[in-house]
Amino acid sequence: MKAVELVSIGQLTLVEKEKPSPKKGEVLLKIMACGICGSDIPRTFVTGSYHFPTVLGHEFSGEIVALGDEVEESYLGRKAAVFPLLPCNQCEFCQSGNYAQCTNYNYFGSRTDGGFEEYLAVPVFNLVLLEDQVSFEEGAMVEPATVAQHVVNKAQVTLGDSIVIFGAGPIGVMVAQWAKINGAGKVLLADIDQTKVDFAKELGFEFVCNSGEVSAEEFIKETLGGKLADIAVEATGSSAAFDQCVQSIRAFGRVVLLGNPHSDMTLKQKTYDQFMRKEGTIVGMFNSVYDKIPKNEWRVTAQAIADGSLNLSPLITHKVPIEELIAAFDMVHEKKEFYNKVLMVHEDLL
């Protein structure tokens, strides 16, 4: 089967490798779609993976085409997305169902081979079954959409809240969608890339600004009738956006940290002082909730896509076969053209 391996920093290679066989408790997934995540770019071109070679890709979906021992026949032929974290099931966090905090986890697409290949053996535990009306492309976006849902849940967005999201990339737009689903009163987006600003407006978001050209704080006040936001989300991983988030909230407001930083995150002294006076709250978040208790955020995402309340298809700007995946990585890395969500898809979906 074909796979794209990261063989060294900056070098992706299309290879032929042996098709896996599912073991006990696993299924064989025919990969139908896999997304390039923002984190895949520094992993490929800057930091490298945990080992070489590695097949990247943790945002993927596919069709179950074979079953390992002790797997129910009803799984055969089903569509599924995949929770990419492989927990140890031994540590205190796994025992309490907080798998994202596992102290000895594995991970598809970084610590072990992921979705940028034609087939992958996946434990039944990690399967998120999809309804027939959910496309494979939408299925590949369940992972980032669930992370976005987790942001809104951690932020405790409730009816009438105002929320501003710094970063109008795929994850920021998904956070905005979830905020609307949760009943937010006003949802604002800010980005320094005008093409992202324009794209967000095309998607139907009314309150979007280029924070590199106008004051985000003034934009928020103009939009909210002189008030600041209840919640701000940092979705870029930059100090400038972090500082703007802290400036953007009202007294007792909340800041949620989502973006992956690639350098130190700092606050201006004045901003720090203002935040203390506001008695604001900074909330960290990582990954998602994947458990039956109190709820499985992945199943909530899958249902929201199935019933149409979460609309992800317009975010997809590029679909390429596995043979063109390396060129797609280069396009994203070098920003050769505008993109939002880039997917590797099976040839049947082209």
Side-chain angles (χ1 to χ4, degrees):
M1 69 171 188
K2 294 176 182 176
V4 171
E5 291 183 337
L6 180 65
V7 296
S8 63
I9 293 177
Q11 185 176 355
L12 292 164
T13 304
L14 181 65
V15 301
E16 287 284 342
K17 58 184 290 192
E18 186 176 351
K19 183 173 155 180
S21 297
K23 300 176 183 177
K24 178 181 175 181
E26 293 182 340
V27 304
L28 183 63
L29 195 70
K30 179 181 179 181
I31 305 297
M32 297 300 292
C34 184
I36 298 178
C37 175
S39 66
D40 286 327
I41 301 306
R43 186 175 291 117
T44 299
F45 296 99
V46 181
T47 63
S49 190
Y50 287 87
H51 56 81
F52 297 109
T54 302
V55 177
L56 303 181
H58 59 269
E59 305 176 359
F60 58 95
S61 69
E63 179 186 358
I64 299 168
V65 295
L67 309 176
D69 291 340
E70 298 186 12
V71 178
E72 296 178 10
E73 287 289 332
S74 60
Y75 282 97
L76 196 61
R78 292 294 304 272
K79 289 181 180 180
V82 175
F83 175 58
L85 189 149
L86 297 156
C88 73
N89 290 314
Q90 301 296 321
C91 70
E92 61 176 309
F93 298 108
C94 285
Q95 294 301 308
S96 61
N98 293 297
Y99 300 111
Q101 302 302 323
C102 174
T103 58
N104 190 32
Y105 66 90
N106 206 342
Y107 211 90
F108 284 124
S110 60
R111 300 182 181 219
T112 192
D113 286 352
F116 289 131
E117 56 187 16
E118 293 185 295
Y119 294 90
L120 188 66
V122 176
V124 169
F125 171 82
N126 293 75
L127 296 175
V128 181
L129 297 178
L130 304 173
E131 300 293 335
D132 289 342
Q133 66 267 34
V134 177
S135 69
F136 288 113
E137 293 94 332
E138 291 170 318
M141 298 173 73
V142 170
E143 194 275 344
T146 303
V147 171
Q149 181 202 155
H150 189 57
V151 171
V152 171
N153 291 340
K154 291 285 286 185
Q156 300 177 349
V157 176
T158 55
L159 191 66
D161 278 342
S162 57
I163 178 171
V164 56
I165 301 143
F166 285 87
I171 197 76
V173 169
M174 292 180 199
V175 171
Q177 284 201 34
W178 278 115
K180 285 189 173 184
I181 291 171
N182 279 36
K186 290 267 178 83
V187 177
L188 296 74
L189 282 157
D191 204 291
I192 60 173
D193 186 335
Q194 188 61 41
T195 58
K196 292 182 180 180
V197 171
D198 294 339
F199 187 69
K201 290 180 178 178
E202 290 174 11
L203 293 173
F205 292 101
E206 182 179 359
F207 308 112
V208 190
C209 81
N210 186 327
S211 54
E213 296 181 356
V214 301
S215 164
E217 185 175 350
E218 289 305 313
F219 171 74
I220 293 166
K221 287 181 177 180
E222 290 174 8
T223 305
L224 302 180
K227 298 180 180 180
L228 292 172
D230 297 306
I231 300 159
V233 177
E234 198 297 299
T236 70
S238 72
S239 288
F242 181 33
D243 197 84
Q244 287 177 313
C245 279
V246 175
Q247 293 175 16
S248 297
I249 59 167
R250 60 165 176 78
F252 309 115
R254 301 182 291 283
V255 174
V256 182
L257 304 183
L258 165 63
N260 291 319
H262 302 295
S263 60
D264 290 343
M265 299 288 279
T266 59
L267 288 176
K268 296 174 184 175
Q269 182 179 357
K270 180 180 179 181
T271 306
Y272 186 95
D273 180 67
Q274 289 174 343
F275 187 72
M276 291 174 60
R277 292 171 182 269
K278 291 176 182 178
E279 295 195 15
T281 300
I282 293 178
V283 180
M285 65 79 57
F286 175 71
N287 208 292
S288 55
V289 174
Y290 190 79
D291 193 22
K292 294 179 181 178
I293 301 173
K295 69 177 180 181
N296 186 317
E297 290 174 335
W298 284 70
R299 294 195 184 101
V300 173
T301 296
Q303 183 57 48
I305 297 171
D307 66 26
S309 55
L310 193 63
N311 186 16
L312 302 180
S313 294
L315 277 62
I316 302 169
T317 53
H318 296 72
K319 295 194 293 185
V320 300
I322 192 169
E323 294 83 0
E324 298 177 17
L325 179 63
I326 297 173
F329 261 82
D330 289 337
M331 182 275 293
V332 172
H333 179 231
E334 298 173 18
K335 300 179 180 179
K336 294 179 180 179
E337 58 190 84
F338 171 75
Y339 64 89
N340 189 270
K341 199 63 196 175
V342 181
L343 299 180
M344 180 202 82
V345 299
H346 189 273
E347 59 184 7
D348 293 346
L349 302 181
L350 292 170

